[in-house]
Amino acid sequence: MKHAIARTLTSILHGTLRGLLRAWVLIVPLVVALSVIRWGQLAYFWPQGYKASGSDLLAVAVQGFRFDLKVSAIAGFLLLLVLPWVSFSAQRRLVSGLVLVYVFLGFINLHYFGFYKTPIDSVIFGLFEDDTAAVLQTVWHDFPVLGTLLAVALTTALGIAVHRLILRWVQPDTRWNQRAVVLRLAVVTVAFIALLFAGKGTIRQMALQRQHLTVTTSQFLNDMVPNGVIALKYAWDNRRQSQNLSDPLVGLKALGFESPQAAAQVLGLPSATEAEVRDALYRHDPLPAATPKKNLVFFLMESWSAEPMLYQSPTFDVLGRMAPTLNKACHFSNFESAQPGTHPSLEAILFSSPITPLTMGDAGRKPLPWGVAQVAKQAGYDTLFVTSARSGWRDLNRVLKVQGFDEVIDANNLKADYPEATVGLWGVWDSFVYRYLEKRMAAQPKNKPLFVFVLTATNHPPYDLPADYQRVPLDMAQWKGETSEATLVPNLDTYRYAHDLLGAFVQTVQQGPLKDTTIVAATGDHNVRSFGVYADASRRYLMRQVPFVIWGDKLQCGNQLTQPASHRDMFNTLFPLAGIEGGYVNAGRNLLKPLPAQPDPMNAPRGLFFTGEARNAQGMWQLGNPKSFVCTAAKPPAQCEFNALDDQQERARYGLLDWNVRISLQK
């Protein structure tokens, strides 16, 4: 009996040792493969003329290795459930499959960075919420799919070769001397503890977490630290937290506030009770008596980046008929988008929501009273949503009618009205939107104001244009940005097409009977994908920048045209201008009002990106992360550094917007 028990314990000990050694042998090829991809990514996206210090590159290499070791060790630890007991051949197949998965995620992260200028984030889940077939078709058209698959195969083969080499050296399946029980026990203990610390990513300090991705002052280099596995994990965490609507305080607490009252105090808002805080979020300056209500036509332009406008000239004409309209417009040229994707920005603008996706579940089935369409409707407006895309995308056809739009006109409606329209990958050409708008606005009763929200689609990969459109030659010597993307010129062509049409529409309004009674405004949903990676710190702010332009009769533009601002400020500016008051959340500031002489937290000249980045006149940073601050001022002052008060106020503003959505959906 004793011998049987001893043999059983010895067998268990030997199996455990075999499993631990197999786990460590597994870790090596994973780390090698992930490290190879990281250095390949650095080389692939390294901008021409960009320089980085050796110490910064070393910091990226070391920190990247630590994250590679972390995710590889976690895989090894989880597989301890099977590695001690499977056959040698099954172990090799398991490792080969895992290497393939890690390598595939690494290359997804590589191309995701090339497209979104950031490691994998929660926008990636839109693959399953967009028109998936159209997305995949765009990927096939715009990305080196076959070359990437070949690179995946070669990197996977490298990892498998490394694994087999280490197997021959370590020989984890070799049976140890039956008498070496104490030695085996010691090796098991050391190997297990080492595996735990490898999964933690450190020995003495706290486990590697998201904040440890920042190791240099260069965001470009910091973005090289996460591998595809850890980036996807953090994206999933963000997604899960954003969808956790059961706890209204989860966003506030993540930003360092235990209650909405604590955040309100930072902003100088009334804060005795939660009800008082909510009331303050919806309080606005009263409009002058008898302010007339004007039509408000708002355009969310696909990929309207701010950068090409910097180089606009007669020989580099990227605006067409929009260019002459800007002389009498309010053009806010230091302006951030809310999100890096179309649907996230759409939700951020319509609902002042940092939470996305917000309306694709139950939340989209109940009216959100502070949404801009609901506010306009309550003010007596007819509300219209028009897009050249298909409104079935992201359930917009269902959601928008619940959220206050009387009519939703999409590619299918436009095709019915204009049989000559061709429905392509993302919808019809934008020109049919403008034809419809001119007809619809001319038919609007004069005693009923109209609010129109327009979403364009043509300036989108794969950058196709109508067959009869004459492309305008551009002097690319005028382009001062990065030029590494093959899609740059085709993208500039569709950019010009889209904004030339918008300019023609503005001119039609300004020269017609609606001139005195119509406000036209436009912004971009996000920056263009093909305009570089913005590795240089002085250009980093351009990665988030889109224009915001307002056209109207006798506009007084004020002194904020070049001050940092963002999407959150738009309807705080447009609603008072159109004569709409009350009902909308105090998400930002009125950009047509002069900046206050005394510091005012609710009207400070800052921009906010809803993934958690802010920018002031000096630079930009990730909320709550002083080490992430990058000076982006054109003429940096003597002290260009992180401002803790600015950060605290932006965290409070962001946290209250998050809380407003969550607490409202509790009811």
Side-chain angles (χ1 to χ4, degrees), residues 321-394:
R321 285 170 286 182
M322 182 189 290
T325 71
L326 294 177
N327 291 333
K328 295 182 180 180
C330 297
H331 173 202
F332 298 91
S333 59
N334 198 5
F335 200 81
E336 263 19 88
S337 68
Q339 292 277 4
T342 301
H343 188 258
S345 282
L346 180 65
E347 290 195 323
I349 293 166
L350 287 176
F351 308 111
S352 299
S353 172
I355 303 170
T356 189
L358 176 66
T359 57
M360 295 189 66
D362 292 340
R365 294 180 171 86
K366 61 172 72 172
L368 305 178
W370 69 91
V372 296
Q374 294 283 15
V375 171
K377 191 177 181 70
Q378 290 299 315
Y381 281 66
D382 284 340
T383 55
L384 171 66
F385 186 95
V386 185
T387 179
S388 53
R390 298 175 181 88
S391 62
W393 175 70
R394 301 285 184 108

Side-chain angles (χ1 to χ4, degrees), residues 195-234:
L195 191 64
L196 287 176
F197 279 118
K200 182 184 175 188
T202 183
I203 296 177
R204 292 183 298 176
Q205 300 174 339
M206 70 168 64
L208 284 179
Q209 298 177 34
R210 189 191 308 266
Q211 64 264 32
H212 296 118
L213 296 175
T214 302
V215 292
T216 75
T217 57
S218 167
Q219 190 59 46
F220 169 71
L221 293 180
N222 292 338
D223 286 342
M224 299 297 115
V225 172
N227 52 62
V229 180
I230 199 69
L232 183 61
K233 191 267 183 189
Y234 288 148

Side-chain angles (χ1 to χ4, degrees), residues 436-455:
Y436 175 83
L437 274 178
E438 290 179 17
K439 180 181 71 173
R440 176 66 178 80
M441 292 177 66
Q444 180 69 13
K446 290 184 171 54
N447 61 347
K448 188 73 170 177
L450 181 66
F451 169 62
V452 188
F453 194 111
V454 183
L455 175 64

Side-chain angles (χ1 to χ4, degrees), residues 299 301 319-326 434 496-511 551:
F299 289 85
M301 303 292 289
L319 295 178
R321 285 170 286 182
M322 182 189 290
T325 71
L326 294 177
Y434 295 98
R496 186 191 188 281
Y497 166 86
H499 301 100
D500 173 67
L501 288 176
L502 176 57
F505 173 79
V506 170
Q507 289 187 30
T508 298
V509 172
Q510 291 178 335
Q511 295 165 9
W551 293 270

Side-chain angles (χ1 to χ4, degrees), residues 35 38-39 42 46 50 52-68 201 208 211-227 627:
S35 296
R38 175 176 296 103
W39 288 107
L42 260 171
W46 193 273
Y50 178 67
S53 68
S55 60
D56 280 352
L57 288 174
L58 179 62
V60 169
V62 171
Q63 199 74 337
F65 172 80
R66 293 176 67 194
F67 274 101
D68 295 345
L208 284 179
Q211 64 264 32
H212 296 118
L213 296 175
T214 302
V215 292
T216 75
T217 57
S218 167
Q219 190 59 46
F220 169 71
L221 293 180
N222 292 338
D223 286 342
M224 299 297 115
V225 172
N227 52 62
K627 293 182 179 179

Side-chain angles (χ1 to χ4, degrees), residues 136-173:
L136 294 177
Q137 189 173 341
T138 302
V139 169
W140 176 261
H141 185 281
D142 280 9
F143 290 88
V145 175
L146 295 179
T148 299
L149 292 177
L150 177 61
V152 167
L154 291 175
T155 311
T156 301
L158 172 65
I160 292 172
V162 170
H163 178 250
R164 293 182 179 178
L165 179 66
I166 301 298
L167 269 180
R168 286 196 295 269
W169 179 55
V170 176
Q171 298 184 350
D173 291 8

Side-chain angles (χ1 to χ4, degrees), residues 647-663:
D647 177 66
Q648 183 188 42
Q649 291 174 356
E650 287 306 308
R651 284 188 288 112
R653 192 69 168 266
Y654 187 98
L656 286 177
L657 291 178
D658 181 279
W659 171 77
N660 175 64
V661 175
R662 296 178 191 276
I663 197 68

